[in-house]
Each structure stands twice: as C-alpha cells, then as structure tokens.
Amino acid sequence: MSGIEAMWASPAAVATARTLVHFLWQGALVGLAAGGVLSLLGRGKASTRYAVALAALLLMAALPVLTALLLVEEPAGPAATAPAAAVPAAPAERAVPAISMIPGGAEVAQTFGVSLLPWVFGLWLAGVAALSIYHLGGWRWTRRLSRQGRPVGEAVARLARGLCRRLGIGRAVALLESSAVSVPMVVGWLRPVVLVPASALTGLSPAQLEAILAHELAHVRRHDYLVNLFQTAVETLLFYHPAVWWVSAQVRRERENCCDDLAVAVCGDRLSYARALVDLEGLRSAPRLALAASGGSLSDRIRRLVGAPRRSSRRSWAAGVLALALLPAGAAVQLACARDSAKDTATASTADVPSEPGTRQGRWTADAESNGVRLEMIVRKAGWGRWTSIDEYPMSQFAGLATGPDVRFELRRDAGTFRFRGNFDGQRGQGTFSFTGNPAFAEMMGVGPASDRLLEMAVHDVSFDFAREMKELWAVNSPRQAEDEGNHGSAFRFVHELLGLERRDSFADQLMQLRFHNITPDYVRAMQDAGYPRLQPWQLVELSIHGIEPGYVKGLRESGYRRLFPSRIVQFRTHGITPEWLRGIVDAGYGSATPDQLISMHIHAIDGGFIRKAQAQGYRGLPPEELIALRVQGKVKV
C-alpha cells in the first residue's frame, strides 16, 4: 500500500476531503456575498465594514464543520434512540475495529478512472503542515522580540499610561523599545507588549508619538491579537481558497481603519495623525508606502483619513473572478460524487442476498492475515453516508467459509447474523452480504432491528450474557457518583466530552463503550470490591484507558485515602504516584495532605525518606509547601 493509500484508509480522511471539495462553492458564495455587501457600504463606517468582513470569515470557518456534520447521517431504524457516535480511540495495545459513520468514498474524477479525493486530502495536509511550521516560526520570532526589548523612558511610559486611561484599558500594557522592528506592533494578549522602534522615539514629535501609540493601544483595547490568531487558523486550514484570503485581507484592512478612528478620537486631529503616519514611514530604512504594523495599505489609510478618493483595487476583481470560477468546479465535483453514490447504492440494493424485515445489505472485501481474516463491510445509505466496519476475525468464526468463485458463509452473533456471498481464493475475496438483526436482542437494547447501533453491537460481539451481567451490575449503581465529584469532577467530565467519552443515556451506548475498551463484568465487580460501587461507564473507560487496575485502587485506599474521586485516581496514576510512595508519606506524618499537595510533593521528588531526613535535621511540623521549598533550595542534606 502506497503512502497516499495508507492515509486514505482513514475514514476521517474521506470526510475531510469531501468537506474540502464542498467548500469550493461554499467559500466562493460567501466571498461573493461579502464583496457585494462591502461594495454597497462603500466608504461607510469602518466598524460596520469590519463586522461584515469578520462575519463572513466566521461563516467560512463554520461551513466546513456544518458540512461534515450534515454528511454524517443519523442511524437508520424506527427505534434508533441516538446518533451513531465515533467510539473513542483505544490504547495502542488493543486491537479493535474501526467503526464510524463517514461519507461515501465516491470516485470523483470518473473521466480518469481514479479518485482525486485521496490527493485532495494529501495535498491539503501538506499545505496545512507547511503553513503551520511557517506560523510557528513567526510566533517564535515575535516572542524573541518581546524578550529582547528594552523599557522606554519614563516620559514615554507616562504618555502611554495616560493613553490607556483615555482608551479605557484597565490591564497593564508593557511598552518596550526595539531596534529589531521598523514599525510599532502589538505582541501577546494576556500580557500585551507594544514594541516601538528606536527611530520612532527619536524621530517623531511628542504629539506624533502619542498618535502612533494610540493606534497600537487601540489594538489592545479591541483584543485584535485574538482575532488575528483566529484569522491565522482559518487561513491555514482553508489556504487553498482565494476567497478566504481576500475576506481575511478585508478584516485586516478594516481593523486598521477602526484603530485609526480610535486614535483620531483620542488625539483629536485627523490631519496631524495622517502626517504622523507619513513621517513614521519615512523613518524606515527603505521609505515606501507599504504595509503598516498590523496590516492594511498605508496609502489607503492616509487617503481615507484626509478624505481623498479611494483607488479601485484590481485584487478585488481578481478574487471575484476566481470565486466565480470555483462555483462550477465545486458543482461538477458534487454532481460526480452524487452520481457515484447513487450507482453504489443501486448496486448494493440489487445484490443477490436475502431480503427480510430488519435486514441491512452491503458489500464486503476480505484479505487473509497471519492471525485470521481482515474483513471490511460497507453499507451504503441514502445520500452521502455509509456505515463501515474494518476488523480482523479468526477464520474459525466464519461458518461455511471455503474457497471458490461462489462462496457462502456466515458470521453469527447474539445481536444478529451476517450472511456473505461472493468469491474467495484463500487470500482475497469480495462480494455482497446481508445483516439480519435479532429482534429479541434489539428489543432488550432499545434499538431498531435494522439500526447502525445493532450492526456495531454485532461486530463488537456484545452478547446476551455480557448485557445481562452489566444490567445486573447497573442495578446497584447510582448516578450520584458523577454529582459527588463537585467542581473538579465537572471540569474533568468536560474534558472527557471533548475526547468523545461523554456519558450517554442509552444502555446500548454504554455497553458499546465498555465492550470496545474490553471492560468486563469482572473488572466492574473488582472495582466495586475496591470501594467504588457507583462508577459510571465514562469513568470506567477513563480508568481502563490509563491502565488502572482494581489492585492499584485498593492500594490507594489501604494507604489511607479512601474517598479519592476517580478523576484523582487518574491524576495519581498519570503522575506515577504508587500506593507504596503514598504509604511512606502517610507514615512520615503527612496523611492529611490534600491530593493536590501530594501531586506537588511527588513532582518535587519528596518521599517518606526525605521527610524523615528533614525532621532529623530540625525541620518538623512543616506544611507541604515549605517542605517543597526546602527541597528546591537544597537545605536538607540527602
């Protein structure tokens, strides 16, 4: 398998490529709409034009996300209770199938007989990587500039503090002189720094310097550094679309105009401010009307300030022509994908497989592996979506599997039965299949007999026995555990939701999480015996992912810490805290230390032996923070 094919094997790559193709026409439409609105506004207020351009960029950022969500269809079936969600990634040592809802991998370039979508994804990934490296270098450069700057004189600092009060900036802003910059610029957001070139401090009059500083401080007041980070992210991810660059350029241009208006409002003289911009440009090593400190054409800004007629831009016309050219291209690709999807759906629907109530039909391919058979199953759905499963199975699990041009075999599960037909030469095979769900199992799980969730449960081999045992264990569980964790637990659960480990109400979804991560009823019972009878599925998954065994939990309890939240246990495990280390801390007299204090002590290599040596040298009764200080300062001889 080539590199591009290996990348394309990921379902996420298919979804990404389709989304990128759709954005060809989506981005063009948004860019044309933004250009039309900005043309109607003419020389209107800069703040209004800025809001329009920024709204267009926000829409461009949101459209790929919305498109990806729309391409992933809801699970079918009358009793389906929740959309099929991607199962969290399992630890590397566990071999698990990859099941997800992804858009169909249609062959777009049918004229050439091959699909361009893998190349779309590969080239896009290379472009994103290159731009990310470039921006990372720029970020490091600006950080180095802020560290190398020198504090300005008291008179200039006093001038800046007065401007901050007049602009309503309540936080501290550092003002540094730098010989490495040719124009003033703002760096950072939480701790903003204004870098001023040395030439500006000596070559501008106090009034001009005040006007230039007012412009830079206006960026701080408006939090433009954050918006610029957002622009950089959008330009990096959607770099291939000219409309994105054009809209982003309008945002930067109008942002400078907004700051010019604020500077004029503070300084009170529009012509003097324009003169200050001209003089500042003249102090550069190569005088020219180029880009100012934070974007926007300086000549256009000066024309706007003095009321001169605005020059027509050829770039806007070029961007518009490119956007119009992308509309038919995007439409052609979309029609090709739709035609291919319809063809595949028709092929699957006319397959020579049984048609019964609650039956799903699709295609399969198989490759013999050293440990069995690698089987891929695909079920086309109406529109763009499909259900896909890729997994390895022992040869013995397939009933009736033989070799020949017309083979028929089955894969039997409690959730339902897969029936396959096609050809298999002992190494490779392909054909059609049907899946008939078990109505009794579907009723027990509360899912539809033809739903994607039932398909997934059959692939994962969720059995009647597993479901019954877990249901009995759930009878003694209570949702209070999740509520008892307080604020820390709420934040911890929020992170889990971002990772796809969110709690679900469906019993079938809970079983899928546990089965996917090889969490057995014995593991749940052992955790109950270790003092945790109310663990929820998402908590069990997190504990299992971090390799936390019941013995480890029991050891922590025996060391004296009996009421640790599951999230704290994960933190202890992540920081390498062992029950033996904890017992040493308790035996040394620090059994009342909080979990945060314990973690900090472990980070600073404080154990029971260190505490006893400190006590022998006269340091007794110290709180954990002072013990840490002793360790850092090296006052205890070890």
Side-chain angles (χ1 to χ4, degrees):
M1 180 179 290
S2 65
I4 192 69
E5 291 174 339
M7 273 195 303
W8 186 242
S10 167
V14 183
T16 302
R18 284 199 172 278
T19 300
L20 295 173
V21 168
H22 274 287
F23 188 73
L24 286 175
W25 63 269
Q26 293 171 342
L29 287 179
V30 174
L32 290 172
V37 175
L38 290 175
S39 297
L40 291 175
L41 290 175
R43 300 191 65 172
K45 291 181 60 176
S47 58
T48 303
R49 293 176 58 85
Y50 175 77
V52 170
L54 184 57
L57 195 63
L58 286 168
L59 182 58
M60 285 179 164
L63 279 173
V65 178
L66 296 175
T67 300
L69 293 176
L70 290 175
L71 290 178
V72 179
E73 295 188 1
E74 301 291 330
T81 58
V87 183
E93 68 271 15
R94 295 182 180 176
V96 293
I99 295 180
S100 60
M101 292 296 300
I102 60 174
E107 296 180 356
V108 180
Q110 296 182 19
T111 304
F112 302 98
V114 295
S115 174
L116 289 179
L117 288 181
W119 293 100
V120 168
F121 175 75
L123 293 174
W124 172 82
L125 200 62
V128 170
L131 284 174
S132 299
I133 294 172
Y134 171 77
H135 290 306
L136 180 61
W139 176 80
R140 294 183 63 182
W141 177 74
T142 57
R143 294 288 295 176
R144 186 167 59 251
L145 286 179
S146 63
R147 289 195 297 268
Q148 295 175 349
R150 302 177 299 276
V152 298
E154 178 57 30
V156 178
R158 186 166 54 252
L159 178 64
R161 288 194 295 269
L163 287 172
C164 286
R165 287 193 297 270
R166 289 152 65 184
L167 285 168
I169 301 174
R171 52 182 172 160
V173 180
L175 191 64
L176 301 178
E177 176 187 350
S178 175
S179 59
V181 298
S182 56
V183 291
M185 63 175 60
V186 178
V187 177
W189 172 63
L190 292 176
R191 297 177 180 176
V193 175
V194 177
L195 297 175
V196 183
S199 58
L201 296 175
T202 58
L204 296 178
S205 67
Q208 290 176 326
L209 183 59
E210 180 184 36
I212 297 300
L213 290 179
H215 176 95
E216 299 306 320
L217 291 172
H219 282 299
V220 176
R221 177 189 171 183
R222 290 164 40 86
H223 307 290
D224 286 336
Y225 190 76
L226 282 179
V227 179
N228 191 60
L229 288 177
F230 165 72
Q231 286 181 257
T232 301
V234 175
E235 291 170 350
T236 300
L237 295 174
L238 302 175
F239 68 90
Y240 64 95
H241 207 301
V244 171
W245 291 97
W246 181 83
V247 171
S248 187
Q250 306 313 304
V251 173
R252 289 192 169 90
R253 177 186 306 179
E254 299 305 332
R255 179 166 63 217
E256 293 304 307
N257 291 337
C258 290
C259 290
D260 286 342
D261 291 343
L262 276 175
V264 169
V266 170
C267 299
D269 191 338
R270 184 175 295 270
L271 293 179
S272 296
Y273 177 65
R275 179 64 183 174
L277 291 178
V278 174
D279 288 347
L280 177 64
E281 185 66 16
L283 295 174
R284 298 176 65 164
S285 58
R288 55 190 172 85
L289 293 181
L291 289 181
S294 303
S297 170
L298 181 58
S299 60
D300 289 343
R301 290 168 58 192
I302 294 175
R303 285 175 176 272
R304 176 179 172 275
L305 287 168
V306 301
R310 186 177 180 180
R311 299 178 302 177
S312 60
S313 174
R314 293 183 179 180
R315 292 182 180 179
S316 298
W317 285 102
V321 170
L322 283 173
L324 286 172
L326 288 175
L327 282 174
V333 171
Q334 184 182 9
L335 289 174
C337 292
R339 184 167 60 251
D340 182 80
S341 179
K343 180 186 70 175
D344 287 344
T345 303
T347 300
S349 63
T350 58
D352 185 13
V353 292
S355 179
E356 306 173 10
T359 296
R360 303 290 298 277
Q361 300 173 356
R363 302 192 65 84
W364 64 272
T365 58
D367 293 280
E369 304 285 349
S370 58
N371 297 324
V373 176
R374 180 180 181 271
L375 179 68
E376 178 179 2
M377 293 182 284
I378 299 175
V379 176
R380 293 285 183 182
K381 301 180 64 178
W384 296 84
R386 69 177 183 178
W387 175 93
T388 296
S389 163
I390 303 174
D391 195 12
E392 291 186 7
Y393 300 86
M395 192 78 71
S396 59
Q397 290 195 10
F398 296 106
L401 178 59
T403 59
D406 185 15
V407 296
R408 304 188 185 201
F409 56 98
E410 295 182 353
L411 178 63
R412 299 163 184 166
R413 305 294 201 196
D414 286 359
T417 301
F418 295 91
R419 296 182 175 89
F420 302 90
R421 181 172 181 176
N423 62 81
F424 185 68
D425 61 7
Q427 294 298 321
R428 299 180 60 87
Q430 62 180 350
T432 58
F433 78 90
S434 69
F435 171 76
T436 304
N438 184 339
F441 191 91
E443 183 179 359
M444 178 181 179
M445 295 296 105
V447 298
S451 67
D452 295 312
R453 177 59 76 223
L454 195 62
L455 270 172
E456 294 173 6
M457 299 184 82
V459 169
H460 284 290
D461 196 17
V462 178
S463 65
F464 271 118
D465 291 340
F466 180 82
R468 289 193 187 100
E469 283 193 77
M470 285 299 184
K471 199 166 188 178
E472 292 173 0
L473 291 172
W474 248 251
V476 300
N477 284 346
S478 166
R480 286 205 316 271
Q481 178 73 41
E483 300 171 359
D484 289 344
E485 294 200 14
N487 293 332
H488 178 79
S490 298
F492 195 67
R493 289 195 303 277
F494 176 72
V495 174
H496 286 189
E497 291 170 4
L498 294 181
L499 295 174
L501 301 177
E502 70 275 10
R503 293 183 300 159
R504 302 182 176 96
D505 295 330
S506 167
F507 178 57
D509 284 324
Q510 293 174 340
L511 287 179
M512 284 294 298
Q513 289 186 65
L514 299 178
R515 183 65 175 170
F516 185 87
H517 291 278
N518 293 335
I519 297 174
T520 65
D522 289 339
Y523 181 85
V524 178
R525 279 190 287 266
M527 281 296 182
Q528 292 175 349
D529 294 339
Y532 288 85
R534 300 191 183 103
L535 290 175
Q536 298 300 300
W538 64 272
Q539 294 170 317
L540 288 165
V541 167
E542 182 66 12
L543 292 172
S544 177
I545 284 177
H546 286 85
I548 297 174
E549 297 296 333
Y552 176 79
V553 177
K554 189 174 181 180
L556 295 179
R557 287 176 56 84
E558 291 174 350
S559 299
Y561 284 83
R562 295 180 168 274
R563 297 183 59 82
L564 286 174
F565 299 137
S567 56
R568 287 295 194 186
I569 296 175
V570 171
Q571 284 186 317
F572 276 21
R573 180 72 174 188
T574 302
H575 285 88
I577 294 178
T578 64
E580 293 75 20
W581 178 89
L582 193 55
R583 278 194 291 271
I585 294 293
V586 173
D587 293 342
Y590 283 82
S592 61
T594 66
D596 286 329
Q597 290 172 333
L598 290 172
I599 292 173
S600 184
M601 292 167 69
H602 190 272
I603 289 174
H604 290 86
I606 294 176
D607 56 13
F610 176 84
I611 296 174
R612 284 189 289 272
K613 289 178 181 178
Q615 292 169 345
Q617 297 174 32
Y619 298 105
R620 295 181 176 275
L622 297 180
E625 291 75 16
E626 295 188 23
L627 272 178
I628 293 171
L630 289 177
R631 181 67 169 179
V632 172
Q633 297 167 9
K635 292 184 178 181
V636 177
K637 296 180 181 179
V638 294

